[in-house]
Amino acid sequence: MAITLEDPRVIEFDVRTDEMLVNMGPQHPSTHGVLRLLLRTDGEVIYEVTPHIGYLHRCAEKIGENLSTPQWIPYTDRMDYLAGMNMNLGLALAVEKLVGMEVPEKAMVLRVIIAELNRIASHLVGMGAYGLDLGSFSPFLYAFREREIILDLFEEACGARLTYSYITIGGLTHDVPASITIPSGLAALTRRSPNLKLSWLEALEMFLSWLEPRILEYHTLLTENAIFIKRTAAIGVLSREKAISYGCTGPVLRGSGVDHDLRRDGEKIYTRMYEGYNFEVPVAPFKKAPPEAILGDNWCRFYVRMMEVVQSIKLIRQGIQKYAKAEGTYRVPYKMTTKLPVAEAYLETECPRGQMGFYIVGNGEDKPLRARAKSSCFCNLSVTSELCQGCLIADIPAIVGSLDIVMGEIDR
Amino acid sequence: MSPADIHQQLVRQFGDKITGANVTALDPWVEVAPAAIVEVSTYLRDDPALLFDALNDLCAVDYFEPDAKKAAKFAHQPHIEVVYHLYSYTLKHHLKVKVKSPRWLNDQAGELPEIPTVSKVWLIADWHEREAYDLMGITFTNHPNLRRILCPEDWEGHALRKDYDFPLEYHGIRGQ
């Protein structure tokens, strides 16, 4: 970030103090997990940031080589544990691409509903935790209240609240339930009887109509909040060229003004899921941006996420309409011991945090020769040292938070 | 541009430095001689007809079967491949580039093979190459900062190699 003469920080350069090494993490609350940042500072100004990662490393890729691909699905849940469904989907599609498998229409509709619902849950955590980083406590509580209902709905659908393994090769493990008792959280929020029976999709629709007006409240709480704008606008500016060269994807890339979303621009096997859906891809710059905001700063990255929640709601609504008419079944069987062909396939999907890629090399056996998971957060995090140069120590949580990283996915 | 056209253009430009291709595979790929990878990558990034501005993924694959009984049926010669998945945001096309290398430098077990770094071409390659060094044991020559990234610095061996021995002990913590 350029420092001009009018900038009060110039004084820091006049009074040259000794350089100091500051360890931020791995237990620092604002680093979103076990990330250690080694800062070289002169007073309050950062000269250099070195991220140290690997505290959660489990070598999931080696595990994947010793398991057949359906057995590896539960391990993908533990990569980006805030968006387990999207991780499952990425691996399932990569294997389907490798073996040349077609998924029935009903399974595709369900996958869209489930993946977009998980995207909302993930962005809610991203939003709430970002507010928390910047000292605003209330949005966090609201975000988790909403996310709780989504987790209740996932629990009704597949039994798990965090590590789902719901989307599997060939479709999904179950169809969504035809009749459930309303989740207690949803009943309390919408003031319904706690014994109300309804179908899972009706409960989902009820939740969406409750969530939609709340998004305006989040904008009032965070996006339009003067303190929030001061902390985010024109800080951590990432240019379009740097974003591409550093391999940034997802909201980080779109916040820098690159109009690219794999749901629209991806490979056929992935985009055909979204055919016939009407949705927009939010890309910076925004008309509603405050005058202080610059293309590619923290504020833009945050706002892309907020707008994606609106689009996901729209996608789920269309999915619910399509589900009634969808043909086929929720799953075509895929045996645990199916032998993979001697070929290789790489597929990227649009996960909430960016493009997650799975690269499977088959070798005529059920276990792959190589199972590679390319993490989006890994690439997004690598840009930190570039973004943090010349900023203040207090800006680091604002910059790292705006990248919205999950360490489980970075370290794998 | 279709993968076959890209391959033709690369062959015209670089001749026998392009050592192979499969343009009909699921993800069409072009194989490049290790010594020419920096030159070819720079061309792939800058040529107006190609413009591969993004490196989506860089990873290494170990083609080796440690089990002697299965080795006879193994479809590949033992070698290591570094795979570059490229994408162009401007022209919206994909390409996979492969570089083959022996498993060990000069066939001396324990000597890491060497491949030139592309971290000057795509900035993200810096971290991906550190990961490939850490887990697969490939020295990327001229890399600005080739340290382990996921494992601790005093870790022994490279976990994704097929003949990796699982450690029994690390700083007093017992393994299997």
Side-chain angles (χ1 to χ4, degrees):
Chain A
M1 183 184 166
I3 291 175
T4 56
L5 270 178
E6 295 89 311
D7 199 309
R9 274 170 281 179
V10 169
I11 196 156
E12 296 282 353
F13 290 99
D14 294 341
V15 191
R16 281 193 80 89
T17 48
D18 273 345
E19 277 182 7
M20 192 165 61
L21 285 177
V22 183
N23 244 322
M24 219 168 169
Q27 266 78 31
H28 194 276
S30 76
T31 51
H32 296 250
V34 278
L35 164 68
R36 179 176 150 223
L37 296 171
L38 191 61
L39 320 178
R40 198 156 64 81
T41 66
D42 180 1
E44 277 280 299
V45 181
I46 309 286
Y47 271 167
E48 194 183 354
V49 179
T50 319
H52 288 258
I53 59 175
Y55 292 90
L56 267 180
H57 181 54
R58 296 143 289 184
C59 214
E61 296 175 2
K62 186 79 174 176
I63 297 172
E65 289 176 8
N66 292 302
L67 297 172
S68 72
T69 38
Q71 289 173 320
W72 197 37
I73 284 192
Y75 290 85
T76 61
D77 281 322
R78 281 132 183 103
M79 288 177 189
D80 184 349
Y81 43 75
L82 293 176
M85 297 289 191
N86 299 72
M87 297 285 119
N88 299 161
L89 178 63
L91 176 60
L93 282 171
V95 176
E96 283 159 17
K97 178 180 173 185
L98 179 64
V99 299
M101 197 170 180
E102 292 268 325
V103 174
E105 193 191 347
K106 191 171 180 180
M108 287 203 286
V109 172
L110 276 177
R111 279 177 170 189
V112 170
I113 295 177
I114 295 290
E116 294 305 320
L117 192 56
N118 210 169
R119 192 185 308 276
I120 295 178
S122 167
H123 282 340
L124 282 173
V125 178
M127 178 204 79
Y130 194 39
L132 204 58
D133 288 346
L134 302 179
S136 160
F137 194 72
S138 344
F140 183 73
L141 300 175
Y142 291 121
F144 270 66
R145 181 186 66 183
E146 269 75 296
R147 179 171 175 262
E148 184 67 20
I149 315 285
I150 300 183
L151 297 193
D152 285 343
L153 286 172
F154 282 154
E155 193 180 357
E156 293 290 350
C158 69
R161 290 171 61 84
L162 197 71
T163 50
Y164 315 102
S165 307
Y166 184 38
I167 296 177
T168 186
I169 299 158
L172 302 95
T173 55
H174 310 77
D175 201 346
V176 288
S179 171
I180 58 167
T181 313
I182 186 169
S184 56
L186 185 60
L189 287 176
T190 55
R191 300 175 194 237
R192 306 287 160 106
S193 151
N195 303 319
L196 182 66
K197 297 262 186 219
L198 70 182
S199 81
W200 190 85
L201 289 171
E202 281 163 4
L204 176 58
E205 176 62 52
M206 191 187 283
F207 167 69
L208 290 181
S209 18
W210 185 82
L211 175 70
E212 209 167 12
R214 297 297 174 290
I215 293 171
L216 290 175
E217 294 178 11
Y218 308 147
H219 283 309
T220 327
L221 272 171
L222 279 178
T223 325
E224 293 159 11
N225 180 319
I227 304 173
F228 182 83
I229 293 175
K230 285 252 180 207
R231 293 294 308 274
T232 54
I235 292 172
V237 182
L238 178 64
S239 71
R240 185 195 145 94
E241 291 71 30
K242 277 274 156 63
I244 291 176
S245 189
Y246 270 106
C248 296
T249 45
V252 180
L253 184 72
R254 291 191 283 276
S256 289
V258 182
D259 189 3
H260 189 260
D261 187 317
L262 287 181
R263 288 175 288 173
R264 190 191 60 201
D265 308 319
E267 290 188 36
K268 187 81 184 126
I269 187 164
Y270 184 49
T271 49
R272 74 191 178 105
M273 274 172 53
Y274 287 90
E275 261 168 32
Y277 287 84
N278 172 22
F279 69 106
E280 289 152 30
V281 178
V283 184
F286 297 102
K287 280 198 192 110
K288 282 193 179 165
E292 301 95 319
I294 311 179
L295 181 67
D297 64 357
N298 292 347
W299 192 91
C300 288
R301 287 192 279 276
F302 173 82
Y303 198 65
V304 168
R305 286 193 191 95
M306 296 294 285
M307 298 314 285
E308 280 187 13
V309 173
V310 180
Q311 296 303 322
S312 290
I313 294 177
K314 213 164 130 186
L315 277 165
I316 297 174
R317 287 236 166 91
Q318 297 171 48
I320 294 174
Q321 298 284 322
K322 284 180 194 282
Y323 179 81
K325 285 172 271 164
E327 287 171 6
T329 144
Y330 62 93
R331 186 183 188 181
V332 285
Y334 181 90
K335 275 206 190 112
M336 200 74 102
T337 51
T338 307
K339 296 215 184 325
L340 298 173
V342 186
E344 46 194 276
Y346 179 74
L347 187 75
E348 288 196 341
T349 52
E350 190 73 36
C351 290
R353 285 174 183 75
Q355 299 172 10
M356 181 78 191
F358 282 95
Y359 177 49
I360 311 286
V361 182
N363 190 31
E365 288 178 41
D366 53 343
K367 294 169 188 168
L369 180 79
R370 177 83 161 93
R372 156 89 175 154
K374 176 255 168 183
S375 155
S376 53
C377 295
F378 184 85
C379 305
N380 289 349
L381 181 70
S382 75
V383 86
T384 337
S385 52
E386 182 84 24
L387 289 188
C388 291
Q389 266 169 27
C391 74
L392 301 178
I393 291 185
D395 289 337
I396 291 205
I399 292 175
V400 174
S402 78
L403 298 173
D404 191 21
I405 51 168
V406 164
M407 292 312 289
E409 188 193 325
I410 293 175
D411 294 341
R412 284 156 289 146
Chain B
M1 228 171 153
S2 80
D5 294 340
I6 297 176
H7 176 233
Q8 285 307 315
Q9 185 177 342
L10 286 176
V11 168
R12 270 200 305 278
Q13 183 74 20
F14 292 103
D16 52 2
K17 286 175 189 162
I18 308 298
T19 45
N22 182 348
V23 290
T24 52
L26 272 176
D27 301 315
W29 52 268
V30 170
E31 191 194 313
V32 177
I37 183 66
V38 181
E39 193 187 340
V40 175
S41 330
T42 315
Y43 179 77
L44 283 169
R45 184 194 62 181
D46 294 336
D47 187 78
L50 302 170
L51 287 178
F52 285 103
D53 45 8
L55 175 67
N56 273 350
D57 185 25
L58 185 160
C59 71
V61 189
D62 187 8
Y63 287 92
F64 181 65
E65 178 53 68
D67 188 341
K69 280 181 200 159
K70 289 185 189 169
K73 274 197 269 174
F74 192 63
H76 312 269
Q77 286 293 318
H79 68 278
I80 277 188
E81 255 175 36
V82 179
V83 185
Y84 307 76
H85 288 97
L86 310 181
Y87 180 68
S88 166
Y89 281 106
T90 342
L91 303 173
K92 303 206 182 298
H93 53 200
H94 294 265
L95 183 70
K96 179 150 87 178
V97 175
K98 288 184 173 192
V99 169
K100 281 187 187 172
S101 146
R103 293 192 76 244
W104 302 110
L105 188 66
N106 306 328
D107 282 333
Q108 297 278 312
E111 296 282 318
L112 300 184
E114 291 180 353
I115 290 175
T117 176
V118 293
S119 57
K120 303 277 187 310
V121 186
W122 298 285
L123 293 169
I124 183 59
D126 183 337
W127 277 34
H128 279 319
E129 284 176 352
R130 277 177 69 188
E131 191 188 328
Y133 161 72
D134 186 357
L135 298 180
M136 195 62 90
I138 298 166
T139 307
F140 289 92
T141 49
N142 294 328
H143 189 284
N145 181 21
L146 196 66
R147 292 182 294 122
R148 285 184 183 268
I149 188 165
L150 292 173
C151 295
E153 302 223 336
D154 58 352
W155 195 260
E156 281 175 23
H158 302 278
L160 283 180
R161 287 206 171 229
K162 293 284 180 189
D163 49 1
Y164 174 68
D165 289 325
F166 285 88
L168 299 174
E169 190 263 337
Y170 177 73
H171 287 284
I173 308 162
R174 273 172 56 200
Q176 294 167 324

